[in-house]
Structure formats: C-alpha cells, structure tokens
C-alpha cells in the first residue's frame, strides 16, 4: 500500500471479499483520521457497490476489481474499477421510498442508499473498465 492519503485494494469477485473490504476501509479511516460517521458511510456505500459488481457485474468468481481511497483535507474519494460489462448504476431511476411496496420496482435500494451517503457520485466507462467515483465531504475534524 502507498501513503495513508491514497490506498488501493484489489478484490476477487467473491462475496467473502466484502469482509476484507470493510477492514481496508476501517484501516484507511484510522490512518487518514476520518470520523466514525464518514467511515461508516464509506463502508455502507462501498459494500453495496462491491456486492453489485460481484453478483451482477461478474456473477462468478475468478475476476478482480479495485477500490482506491483518497483522503483530502475536506473530502474522501472512493473509486471502484471493474472490467465487467458496461453498467452505469447511477442511470437507474431514483427509488420512490414512500410508495406502497406493491407499487415499487424491484431493486435499486442499494444505489439509493449509496447516493444518500455520498455527496457526489459519478460513473464513466474508460475503455473496458467501469469506473464509479464516490465523494463524501468530511465532517469537521477535531
């Protein structure tokens, strides 16, 4: 790993890797002196995004993807890169959470959560790679 300000983790397309991702985020948060709310929000958002890559993007073990975390003075940025089929999770229509259950479309709650936890979310396709970039403005540090 590089300096605490920028760290990258390579993950396999297996759900068991989510535990390793959580530990990586926790360790990064300590090194970058992130607050507990910021670490928690990063963990929820990235666990959701990584789970989607593993189960929907790749659908089978044997592939790899990366998560890069970068901390600045006012924000932390997480970048998830994978070579699954092109898919923009942010293009999905927003979930109407106050509609009756029988009127709601299936799926989308994870992306809804991700959008609520992060202050900015961007997707782009770079060559054969999906790149999801999530930014969270940091809580004031003490």
């Amino acid at each position: 790993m590089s300096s605490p300000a920028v760290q990258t983790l390579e993950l396999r397309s297996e759900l068991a890797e989510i535990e390793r991702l959580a530990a990586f985020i926790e360790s990064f948060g300590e090194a970058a002196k992130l607050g507990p709310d910021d670490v928690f929000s990063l963990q929820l958002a990235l666990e959701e995004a990584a789970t989607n890559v593993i189960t929907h993007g790749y659908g089978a073990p044997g592939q790899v993807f990366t998560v890069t975390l970068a901390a600045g003075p006012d924000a932390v940025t997480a970048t998830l890169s994978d070579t699954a089929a092109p898919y923009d999770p942010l293009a999905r229509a927003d979930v109407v959470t106050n509609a009756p259950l029988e009127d709601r479309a299936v799926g989308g709650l994870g992306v809804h959560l991700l959008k609520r936890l992060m202050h900015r979310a961007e997707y782009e396709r770079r060559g054969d790679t999906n790149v999801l970039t999530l930014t969270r403005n940091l809580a004031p540090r003490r």
Side-chain angles (χ1 to χ4, degrees), residues 5-134:
V6 178
Q7 295 183 13
T8 298
L9 177 67
E10 185 174 273
L11 298 161
R12 295 179 311 276
S13 58
E14 301 169 13
L15 288 175
E17 289 283 89
I18 299 300
E19 187 175 320
R20 211 162 63 92
L21 174 61
F24 169 70
I25 297 165
E26 185 74 30
S27 175
F28 178 85
E30 288 176 18
K33 298 183 178 18
L34 301 181
D37 288 347
D38 295 319
V39 172
F40 180 75
S41 293
L42 273 174
Q43 284 182 324
L44 280 180
L46 285 172
E47 287 176 17
E48 176 59 34
T51 298
N52 283 344
V53 168
I54 293 166
T55 58
H56 303 297
Y58 289 130
Q63 304 297 317
V64 296
F65 62 100
T66 62
V67 173
T68 299
L69 297 176
D74 301 319
V76 61
T77 300
T79 305
L80 192 148
S81 303
D82 67 76
T83 56
Y87 178 69
D88 179 358
L90 305 175
R92 184 181 185 114
D94 288 339
V95 174
V96 180
T97 57
N98 59 351
L101 285 176
E102 61 273 6
D103 294 340
R104 294 185 198 178
V106 174
L109 285 175
V111 173
H112 173 79
L113 176 67
L114 181 148
K115 289 178 178 179
R116 295 283 180 240
L117 294 169
M118 298 293 114
H119 294 103
R120 189 169 61 247
E122 300 169 328
Y123 167 84
E124 68 178 301
R125 183 77 178 178
R126 294 183 196 155
D128 65 350
T129 305
N130 293 305
V131 180
L132 180 64
T133 303
L134 307 172

